[in-house]
Amino acid sequence: MLFRKNAILAITLALIGSTTLSSAVLADDLTVGVRAGPDSIDPHWSTLGSQAESLRHIFDTLVGVDKDLQLQPAIATSWTPVDDDTWEFKIREGVKFHGGSDLTAEDVKFSIDRIPLVTGPMSMTIYTKSVESVEVIDDYTVHVHTKGAAATLPNDFIRMFIVSSEIGTVGNEEFNSGAAAIGTGPYKFVSWEPKGDLVLERNADYWGGAPHWENVVRKEIPNDASRVAALQSGEVDLINYVPATDYAAMQNDSRLDTFIADSVYILNITPSVKDTLPVKAKVDGVEIDANPFQDLRVREAMDLAINREILSDVVLEGLGKPANQLMPATFFGGSTDLPAREYDLERAKALLAEAGYPNGFEVDFACTNNRLPGDAAVCEALSQMWARAGLTVNANALNGTVFFPAQQAGEFSLWLSGWGTLTGEASYTYGSLVHTADPEKGLGAFNKSGYSNAEIDALLEEGARTLDDTARAALYKQVTELSMNDRVLIPTVVIQTVWAAKADTLTFEPRVDQETLAQLIEPVAQ
Amino acid sequence: MFGFFIQRIVQAAIVVVAMSILVFVGVYAIGNPIDVMIDPAATQEIRDNLIRQYGFDRPLYEQYFVFVGNVLQGDFGQSFIYRVPVLDLIFSRLPATFELALGAMLLASVVGIPLGIWAGYRPHAFSSKAIMTLSILGFSLPTFWVGLLLVMTFAVQLHWLPSGGRGPTSDLLGVPLSFLTPTGWSYLILPAFNLALFNMGLLIRLARAGTLEAMSSDYVRFARAQGLKESKVVGLHVLKNISIPIVTVFGLEFGSTLAFAVVTETIFNWPGVGKLIIDSIMVLDRPVMVAYLILVVLLFVIINLVVDLLYGVLDPRIRARRSA
């Protein structure tokens, strides 16, 4: 009996041997292993970052962005305010859809108008919220009328994908099947299924010049270890979001190239400054009614107790960088005048004593554990750093599924969460996080700390009305400096992300929005 | 026999109802799916509109009865995330999981049962002790670790097999399957083996215990006295007598392998339902969660039914009792 088993084993092994895959990939094909893909091929379905990233291959946006998220012409060649509530967009001539028809102003109007009708729970109406109506002036000119002055409209349109007005009333099913997936982008849609591969082929007639790769496959491999293994075994040419532990090993591996860059994501601490904390602080084990975070000295002490070098180099294993504001300083409305945050434990203790907490206090601290790389580790490290200043901070890392509804409901007293300035300008971030929560004005939607500062509010609102870029940037710079000095939120570290490819095969320049775009990847010249 | 069916169907219905209520209450208790999904830059107005659009502002019982009403008309609803019918979504991925689970169970049986019988037949042989040690490893090693090890060895180091994914499939009666081509096999073999390990260990132990007991029984002694060949004694009499517990465990394990292959699917990036359901839980995509769990309940019921019917085939005494 055992004999026969051995024979079977031998045959099986032989079979495996004969079917060994040759992983040689054709020179003009690119296979990318990505952590996440789209939820639909309809470019007006969702604001998800991986959605925009995937669909940017097939569709073009009205306004483009460079690798630092600063605006550049795309389908629109220029945009200018004609009066306080009208923007004029000039449309590029000679752009053709994959089906062969010309892109005109009608298609732009159709696309903008389509969003409220088809968008899903990750609603893209955030990009059209200031749009009152769209008017076609001629084939290549569009006027967008806004509700009041909307200075940041071009920024809102960096994910305004243009679809053909000929598709009519269709939804996800028609897009997913490919019937309606007709864009003007550098690649044509071939096939996709949810959580599966997105297959693309070159659009040789692309207005911006044909991309290099003939065929592109974007394989969705959410598991970090599996994605790394897929690269090491040669099944994919490039992967995104290399985990920190593998990054260290890969730097010593001559078979692989790595690319590292800052992301737009920063981990920020938010102390609730409401009159009553949702979960009250304790002094010597006894609940107190006062909210210690209302005292700027306490917020400053907590800031001073953070050693950002340790967070970046040790906790995030080198994949982080100290942050001193809520977005990169070079973004529109950031401040290059803010100094780096100091680490001064003695001063932190002194400030706490001065504020009336010589023996510190105890408070709960919530954070996510699956939202951004290292979020839970930073959270625990912070609670230890504060312990050295005499505070008892109970770190509680939660799954995002639990964290976000609770945060939205205002159940936390102190929390850490990631924020990415996806539009590359300040009003997106400060308008949402720092402006007084005001549903009427549509501002402060994510201000759950209860912070309210009339001066900052006025500056933000003035900015939204100021169409002159230089003047607006100056207003937002003031907002940045005021709110950062007031420690409304305490920025900790910028998350850095890593890509990896087979050594000496690809040229790749990381983008701050972390998009991995096949059209921007070229083979290394032989 | 008919009463037996009815009883099973009623049981299934109760479980399905209880489970769908649990999912609804669970998701409701965690919070609003919109809060998990929504973009941070959304205004309060956009958020409120969405909550109304998806009916999350209505009382829980109302949301539940709307759902039940739709299900009774055969409509399980659409996924929040993909806005495609959930049944389409699940059935597009079910063949992959089914193939993987079946492959794993067959592998576990083909390897596990003979090894177990051998270990029970020659309990003191060195080979038997080795088999038993291996079986302990089989169900004590964590699946994700073994899976990663397999990938590192066969894909990254040796380059014999792909590290993951399902590769090209070929259609059989419109169902995309891997096992029809050698390339398909190269993708299937590692995840199937990884998923089979635990069950292999289990089946080895079961078969060994059963064989040990059977070998000392009267019918084996009589069969030997009759002058039957050892292969006949073991292959016919022993195997038949130990098969009832094996079939039971096979059925149960097949169900759970099918429903919860998620770890293996994640490591090998196998496009099955396991990955889909985990992602759905992460974003509280309730329609997918409910429909999938209902499907799992039905699956367990069907498997148990098949197992019960097999008892009758295997054991004439059960057959006689049932018809009596």
Side-chain angles (χ1 to χ4, degrees), chain A residues 126 129-130 147-150 152 156 427 430-432 434-446 452-465, chain B residues 41-46 48:
Chain A
I126 60 168
K129 62 179 184 240
S130 52
K147 300 169 185 162
T152 58
D156 289 345
S427 72
Y430 292 87
S432 215
V434 175
H435 190 285
T436 309
D438 188 344
E440 298 256 305
K441 289 182 184 147
L443 287 165
F446 261 65
S452 178
N453 181 329
E455 191 186 353
I456 290 179
D457 290 0
L459 284 167
L460 278 166
E461 284 161 38
E462 198 189 333
R465 288 191 302 267
Chain B
T43 60
Q44 192 64 33
E45 188 193 346
I46 294 175
D48 292 345

Side-chain angles (χ1 to χ4, degrees), chain A residues 276-323:
Chain A
T276 316
L277 279 180
V279 182
K280 286 184 181 171
K282 290 179 192 166
V283 172
D284 301 326
V286 184
E287 276 192 2
I288 53 167
D289 287 326
N291 176 357
F293 300 128
Q294 283 187 330
D295 191 327
L296 174 61
R297 288 170 297 191
V298 172
R299 301 203 294 271
E300 210 178 324
M302 297 190 76
D303 190 1
L304 286 166
I306 301 168
N307 186 338
R308 290 176 170 78
E309 301 291 329
I310 296 281
L311 288 182
S312 311
D313 299 344
V314 180
V315 179
L316 291 176
E317 301 183 64
L319 293 189
K321 227 173 72 177

Side-chain angles (χ1 to χ4, degrees), chain A residues 147-468:
Chain A
K147 300 169 185 162
T152 58
L153 191 75
N155 293 86
D156 289 345
F157 281 176
I158 62 173
R159 284 183 178 177
M160 176 56 67
F161 292 101
I162 307 301
V163 300
S164 166
S165 59
E166 285 165 21
I167 57 170
T169 325
V170 290
N172 285 349
E173 279 167 86
E174 289 83 356
F175 272 95
N176 296 353
S177 73
I182 304 157
T184 55
Y187 284 92
K188 296 178 188 174
F189 175 83
V190 177
S191 68
W192 174 76
E193 64 171 81
K195 300 281 158 213
D197 301 350
L198 173 62
V199 184
L200 304 161
E201 66 178 11
R202 173 160 62 193
N203 172 14
D205 304 322
Y206 185 53
W207 58 267
H212 177 81
W213 311 98
E214 179 98 43
N215 298 292
V216 171
V217 180
R218 293 169 58 85
K219 280 181 181 294
E220 223 175 295
I221 313 178
N223 184 272
D224 287 342
S226 309
R227 205 163 53 252
V228 171
L231 176 70
Q232 288 171 332
S233 68
E235 255 156 278
V236 299
D237 303 309
L238 174 74
I239 58 170
N240 62 4
Y241 297 103
V242 173
T245 42
D246 289 290
Y247 175 56
M250 280 181 184
Q251 282 174 300
N252 302 322
D253 188 340
S254 60
R255 291 167 301 173
L256 298 173
D257 283 343
T258 52
F259 311 88
I260 182 169
D262 290 0
S263 74
V264 286
Y265 288 95
I266 296 180
L267 289 171
N268 304 307
I269 300 156
T270 319
S272 173
V273 291
K274 292 173 189 158
D275 289 338
T276 316
L277 279 180
V279 182
K280 286 184 181 171
K282 290 179 192 166
V283 172
D284 301 326
V286 184
E287 276 192 2
I288 53 167
D289 287 326
N291 176 357
F293 300 128
Q294 283 187 330
D295 191 327
L296 174 61
R297 288 170 297 191
V298 172
R299 301 203 294 271
E300 210 178 324
M302 297 190 76
D303 190 1
L304 286 166
I306 301 168
N307 186 338
R308 290 176 170 78
E309 301 291 329
I310 296 281
L311 288 182
S312 311
D313 299 344
V314 180
V315 179
L316 291 176
E317 301 183 64
L319 293 189
K321 227 173 72 177
N324 68 346
Q325 49 194 304
L326 303 185
M327 57 178 207
T330 55
F331 274 16
F332 188 91
S335 169
T336 44
D337 296 338
L338 282 172
R341 297 287 168 112
E342 280 171 71
Y343 168 61
D344 188 340
L345 205 53
E346 290 316 310
R347 221 177 105 64
K349 285 181 186 162
L351 278 171
L352 279 176
E354 214 177 288
Y357 302 98
N359 300 321
F361 54 87
E362 182 180 347
V363 70
D364 288 353
F365 179 44
C367 59
T368 52
N369 62 12
N370 62 346
R371 175 86 176 83
L372 288 171
D375 49 3
V378 168
C379 184
E380 276 147 31
L382 283 171
S383 104
Q384 286 165 21
M385 288 175 182
W386 285 326
R388 298 187 62 189
L391 300 175
T392 309
V393 177
N394 309 313
N396 188 10
L398 301 164
N399 193 301
T401 319
V402 177
F403 180 89
F404 292 112
Q407 183 200 34
Q408 196 64 31
E411 290 173 18
F412 299 139
S413 300
L414 179 70
W415 67 94
L416 177 81
S417 61
W419 182 274
T421 306
L422 296 165
T423 58
E425 59 86 44
S427 72
Y428 174 89
T429 295
Y430 292 87
S432 215
L433 292 172
V434 175
H435 190 285
T436 309
D438 188 344
E440 298 256 305
K441 289 182 184 147
L443 287 165
F446 261 65
N447 176 356
K448 295 292 161 191
S449 67
Y451 182 82
S452 178
N453 181 329
E455 191 186 353
I456 290 179
D457 290 0
L459 284 167
L460 278 166
E461 284 161 38
E462 198 189 333
R465 288 191 302 267
T466 308
L467 296 175
D468 178 63

